[in-house]
Amino acid sequence: MGKGTSNQTFTNYHDNGKLSEVACAPGSGSLTDPWKQPGSNYPYTPGLLAMDDVNKLSHLLPLKNSASATPNAGSRPDELLGKFEYELFKLQQPHDTGLSEEKRQLALSVTRRFFDRCKANFLGFPGVVSLSYSHLADFLDVEVNNVGDPFTTGSSLTQAKFMERAVLDYFAAVWKAEWPHDVRTQKADVIDSSDKQLVTALENPSSYWGFVTTMGCTEGNIYGLWSGRHYLSGEMMLVDGHLAGEYGLGRPANEDHSDGLSNGQGKSGSYFVNGDQERATLEKLSGTVLRSPTKESKSPICFYSSESHYSIRKAVVLLKIKTFHKAATKLNFPPPKGFDSWPTEVPSNEDGSINVQSLAVLVEEFAKRGYPALICFNSGTTFKGAYDDVEKAADLLLPIFNRHNLLNRSFYYTDGKGEVRQVKRHGFWVHVDGALGATHMPFLKMAQMQGVLELEPDTTIPDFDFALRGKKTQHYDYSDIEVVNSIATSGHKWIGCPFPSGVYMTKTKYQMMPREKPSYILTLDTTLSGSRSGLASVFTWDYLARHSFNDLMEKAVHCHNLATALAGKLRVLNDLVERGELHPNLSPPSLWVSRSPLSLAVVFRRPNKAIMHSYILSEEEEFRDGESRKLSHVYTMGHVTLEQIERLIHDLSQDGAFDLDK
Ligand SMILES: *Cc1c(COP(=O)(O)O)cnc(C)c1O
């Protein structure tokens, strides 16, 4: 690759077979106006450059406005550093002839130094920054693309689906799903065939299906809610084609989700749910009287707690899924018992977990009117790291669904021959957002079962996995009912992957019918994106291959114990503050220390900017009794050490540590 320092020659090929050579003068030609200087509000990265650097670097980075290029020119330090940062990373300008090697190396070494500093002090987010994957460097010289379904190789062979499948099997085992995946749904000849003999029923529709995501847990959350909406709205699932022994039923009825409250009625050759159409025939066929066929009765209503991650709120907007608040407001439902008005999200307990009693009340308001429920639980909320009690919620919810005929909903469609067919579905879908917890908790639980984790008596580690079933009660046996439909987790949080990744998992019978099988890639288009990161599978596979279950249990216990230690040390500081012996000017005199049960996040009063930056802490604000509390937290992830915690405690004990103006 030429640096453009001398005249470069370009060879052109012509379709008459002739070649011609053209010389290009360095720096000639221009696509844009001359580059502009950023304004004073340009983004700036605290800690990337220091004032010292400004002097050292000034010969390389001639600022246009040299008056502000010296530290004593009167500009604010962050403004000056921001300008230097911009100059250092600025790429080639239209009239330049390439970035100098010296500048490129300098920019890279400044970046490396910055990341090294971050690694030494990274306490504020549920991510792992200290990683060791450099032995995989040669995987960076090839594009590894797992495009399409993980269980079909397809035509694009530079892929690592063989590793992806191993990773998925691993998670299926840890999340107690049935495995391996029943690959019959993927068979190209089955999907394509007009020869009905080739269409075979699935052997194990309860086996898991999933994929490794490219866009973290967010992608899994979006896919989980999309699948839930699809299932509850009565659209075609992949498995239904097998059950009916028939493909090519045409497009599903409910393509248009522009208003989730008024989905159209089914048409011939597609699905319809409890609809007017051919109702009499259906009642005769099924031997049951269909419930009042209001248009609204099939629109799924979404419930998630106020501590849910913003990716859930975004997914709901993206997918045009109606939240209970939106639907209740639009339909003018009176507030439920115990509420003055409809809450916008399901209330959370003080520890950050979902309030299951409130959830039950809110769900019932819709269940009694025939609406199916799309419920999102957290295994580890983002700020407090709280674990929802999915099991207890299920104990309250299943009888509600039973009371309102939402355990067994019948869906009907007419197949290609005009025959009416029936499909049974639940009237609920449970998605677990386990960005952090779904990878951490199973190993903490294993450690507890092995007796190597000491917990307060009566502490139970909540289950959220695919084995979760209802219970047998006095009135009804729910023990066959599967509670969890889908789980998503991040690969870059508890495990630690150098780039965003994640896992989405459901069961084969809850797979949506994909729109098509593009002939270009020869695999079903069952995932969210087109191209998918194959490296996410390579790196996750490598991590899991290098760490035994014992290693991961040890890590889970280490993280848990560090959180316990940190909370204890902060409470000691808090006692001093409350007694007026430390930080006497704080009002109120409290550090607001809290830790939800089993959480890796310890929450406390937000310290000053210098401490926030030096430990890379995140901010949150909470309103308690009408008063704002500015908070922060530390996540005791795998790379965190006791020494770091002690250093933080030392810093928090210094004068002005909680002075937000500093
Ligand atoms: C981090 C997080 C997410 C988003 O995960 P990404 O991997 O960053 O996309 C979703 N939910 C919770 C609870 C999280 O903490």
Side-chain angles (χ1 to χ4, degrees):
M1 207 71 75
K3 278 268 158 280
T5 45
S6 59
N7 281 14
Q8 266 171 287
T9 311
F10 291 72
T11 305
N12 286 295
Y13 290 78
H14 303 276
D15 53 12
N16 63 6
K18 297 221 166 94
L19 308 179
S20 64
E21 304 222 320
V22 190
C24 178
S28 60
S30 165
L31 292 174
T32 68
D33 292 334
W35 215 253
K36 300 192 173 74
Q37 284 296 310
S40 54
N41 290 323
Y42 212 71
Y44 147 77
T45 314
L48 179 66
L49 290 167
M51 276 308 196
D52 265 3
D53 296 320
V54 173
N55 298 324
K56 273 191 253 153
L57 303 180
S58 52
H59 73 286
L60 267 173
L61 306 171
L63 285 185
K64 288 261 157 52
N65 178 3
S66 57
S68 63
T70 48
N72 48 16
S75 57
R76 292 195 335 263
D78 55 350
E79 199 176 301
L80 185 65
L81 291 176
K83 280 185 179 161
F84 263 81
E85 176 181 324
Y86 180 87
E87 285 298 326
L88 180 57
F89 292 94
K90 190 172 77 178
L91 286 166
Q92 181 180 354
Q93 308 298 286
H95 297 282
D96 286 353
T97 52
L99 216 58
S100 78
E101 187 60 11
E102 189 185 4
K103 192 174 163 193
R104 188 177 72 89
Q105 290 298 350
L106 178 68
L108 286 175
S109 76
V110 163
T111 307
R112 243 178 235 123
R113 184 188 69 182
F114 174 62
F115 288 149
D116 281 344
R117 256 192 248 132
C118 291
K119 278 161 80 165
N121 271 329
F122 189 84
L123 296 185
F125 290 85
V128 187
V129 288
S130 266
L131 305 172
S132 47
Y133 288 103
S134 38
H135 58 284
L136 297 182
D138 40 352
F139 283 88
L140 298 181
D141 292 336
V142 56
E143 193 220 357
V144 191
N145 191 335
N146 284 10
V147 61
D149 192 277
F151 296 91
T152 321
T153 301
S155 49
S156 167
L157 283 178
T158 51
Q159 53 165 272
K161 290 186 186 174
F162 39 91
M163 285 175 164
E164 181 176 18
R165 292 190 285 268
V167 168
L168 292 171
D169 279 356
Y170 183 98
F171 276 94
V174 166
W175 292 340
K176 302 197 195 109
E178 291 181 35
W179 58 289
H181 167 63
D182 184 340
V183 293
R184 278 166 193 257
T185 42
Q186 314 293 331
K187 290 275 193 305
D189 50 356
V190 172
I191 301 296
D192 279 346
S193 180
S194 50
D195 176 359
K196 301 291 183 296
Q197 303 298 359
L198 282 173
V199 180
T200 41
L202 283 169
E203 272 170 2
N204 186 6
S206 290
S207 69
Y208 86 84
W209 176 83
F211 60 96
V212 172
T213 72
T214 300
M215 212 173 59
C217 186
T218 299
E219 185 178 337
N221 285 342
I222 293 171
Y223 203 84
L225 294 189
W226 182 17
S227 304
R229 185 192 78 183
H230 194 94
Y231 173 87
L232 295 172
S233 315
E235 293 188 22
M236 187 85 165
M237 307 305 276
L238 190 53
V239 71
D240 298 333
H242 288 264
L243 293 177
E246 183 83 39
Y247 278 95
L249 290 175
R251 302 184 82 77
N254 308 317
E255 292 257 79
D256 180 10
H257 286 269
S258 55
D259 183 348
L261 294 180
S262 58
N263 289 326
Q265 296 295 323
K267 302 174 206 84
S268 176
S270 57
Y271 268 37
F272 54 94
V273 192
N274 300 354
D276 292 333
Q277 203 179 357
E278 296 171 67
R279 196 163 152 231
T281 328
L282 296 177
E283 285 173 0
K284 232 196 271 171
L285 182 103
S286 64
T288 59
V289 177
L290 297 177
R291 284 182 309 106
S292 163
T294 57
K295 276 187 171 181
E296 291 80 6
S297 67
K298 61 186 178 183
S299 184
I301 301 293
C302 190
F303 301 85
Y304 56 84
S305 85
S306 58
E307 294 278 333
S308 295
H309 189 256
Y310 53 83
S311 60
I312 299 291
R313 298 188 188 99
K314 187 158 55 184
V316 162
V317 171
L318 179 71
L319 295 163
K320 294 199 163 148
I321 293 171
K322 280 281 177 289
T323 64
F324 68 88
H325 175 260
K326 232 178 180 167
T329 315
K330 181 162 180 187
L331 299 170
N332 265 326
F333 291 171
K337 228 169 89 191
F339 289 89
D340 297 335
S341 60
W342 281 91
T344 49
E345 295 164 333
V346 181
S348 301
N349 301 316
E350 209 172 297
D351 70 6
S353 60
I354 194 166
N355 186 304
V356 290
Q357 281 81 14
S358 300
L359 173 69
V361 169
L362 296 167
V363 167
E364 181 145 32
E365 285 298 310
F366 282 87
K368 73 185 187 196
R369 294 169 166 106
Y371 290 89
L374 176 49
I375 304 172
C376 207
F377 289 112
N378 277 292
S379 175
T381 61
T382 307
F383 192 67
K384 294 181 178 167
Y387 295 92
D388 289 346
D389 194 339
V390 184
E391 196 172 348
K392 188 149 163 221
D395 291 345
L396 294 177
L397 292 173
L398 292 179
I400 293 174
F401 295 136
N402 193 16
R403 253 197 311 282
H404 303 293
N405 301 317
L406 284 170
L407 283 186
N408 255 320
R409 299 168 84 209
S410 292
F411 286 69
Y412 304 92
Y413 64 94
T414 44
D415 68 15
K417 295 194 207 100
E419 280 178 34
V420 176
R421 294 183 182 272
Q422 185 189 35
V423 179
K424 296 269 193 197
R425 287 189 193 166
H426 288 159
F428 65 90
W429 179 287
V430 167
H431 174 73
V432 176
D433 174 358
L436 178 69
T439 31
H440 169 233
M441 270 296 138
F443 297 104
L444 199 70
K445 185 138 195 156
M446 275 182 222
Q448 186 194 34
M449 285 160 63
Q450 304 267 330
V452 292
L453 171 68
E454 284 172 23
L455 292 175
E456 301 280 306
D458 301 334
T459 312
T460 44
I461 298 184
D463 282 323
F464 63 86
D465 57 44
F466 289 112
L468 206 59
R469 297 284 186 278
K471 288 201 183 67
K472 194 172 171 164
T473 69
Q474 252 181 325
H475 311 288
Y476 198 87
D477 186 0
Y478 298 99
S479 56
D480 275 349
I481 298 182
E482 300 169 355
V483 174
V484 173
N485 297 75
S486 55
I487 302 176
T489 195
S490 302
H492 56 106
K493 287 190 174 171
W494 196 72
I495 285 183
C497 182
F499 39 80
S501 69
V503 172
Y504 171 76
M505 193 165 284
T506 183
K507 295 181 179 177
T508 304
K509 62 184 168 187
Y510 300 133
Q511 265 191 278
M512 294 184 275
M513 178 64 110
R515 282 280 177 270
E516 56 183 306
K517 188 177 85 177
S519 59
Y520 187 65
I521 55 169
L522 277 183
T523 103
L524 285 176
D525 185 20
T526 49
T527 60
L528 186 61
S529 59
S531 294
R532 294 190 299 119
S533 167
L535 285 184
S537 290
V538 173
F539 280 64
T540 311
W541 182 91
D542 178 75
Y543 182 88
L544 296 173
R546 279 189 289 131
H547 295 84
S548 67
F549 280 110
N550 276 352
D551 294 337
L552 295 179
M553 278 191 268
E554 194 181 342
K555 176 169 161 178
V557 172
H558 165 80
C559 295
H560 171 81
N561 288 344
L562 269 188
T564 309
L566 171 60
K569 287 173 191 293
L570 281 169
R571 289 205 175 96
V572 170
L573 279 196
N574 185 58
D575 286 347
L576 293 175
V577 170
E578 284 186 2
R579 289 205 300 268
E581 292 167 28
L582 185 69
H583 305 316
N585 298 330
L586 281 190
S587 161
S590 173
L591 296 187
W592 302 316
V593 181
S594 72
R595 180 192 177 206
S596 307
L598 302 168
S599 174
L600 298 186
V602 183
V603 177
F604 54 96
R605 191 175 189 128
R606 189 185 304 167
N608 67 33
K609 267 213 179 82
I611 297 177
M612 291 292 285
H613 285 163
S614 107
Y615 293 95
I616 316 180
L617 302 182
S618 57
E619 303 185 358
E620 183 64 291
E621 186 167 10
E622 194 173 77
F623 290 89
R624 246 341 137 71
D625 310 322
E627 274 191 302
S628 141
R629 290 183 176 184
K630 290 191 164 48
L631 301 169
S632 187
H633 68 187
V634 161
Y635 255 102
T636 54
M637 303 300 288
H639 64 277
V640 177
T641 62
L642 195 57
E643 292 73 59
Q644 286 174 326
I645 300 258
E646 275 161 0
R647 195 148 26 94
L648 172 71
I649 293 290
H650 172 264
D651 288 354
L652 293 179
S653 318
Q654 305 307 303
D655 278 351
F658 293 94
D659 186 346
L660 290 183
D661 298 330
K662 283 204 176 169

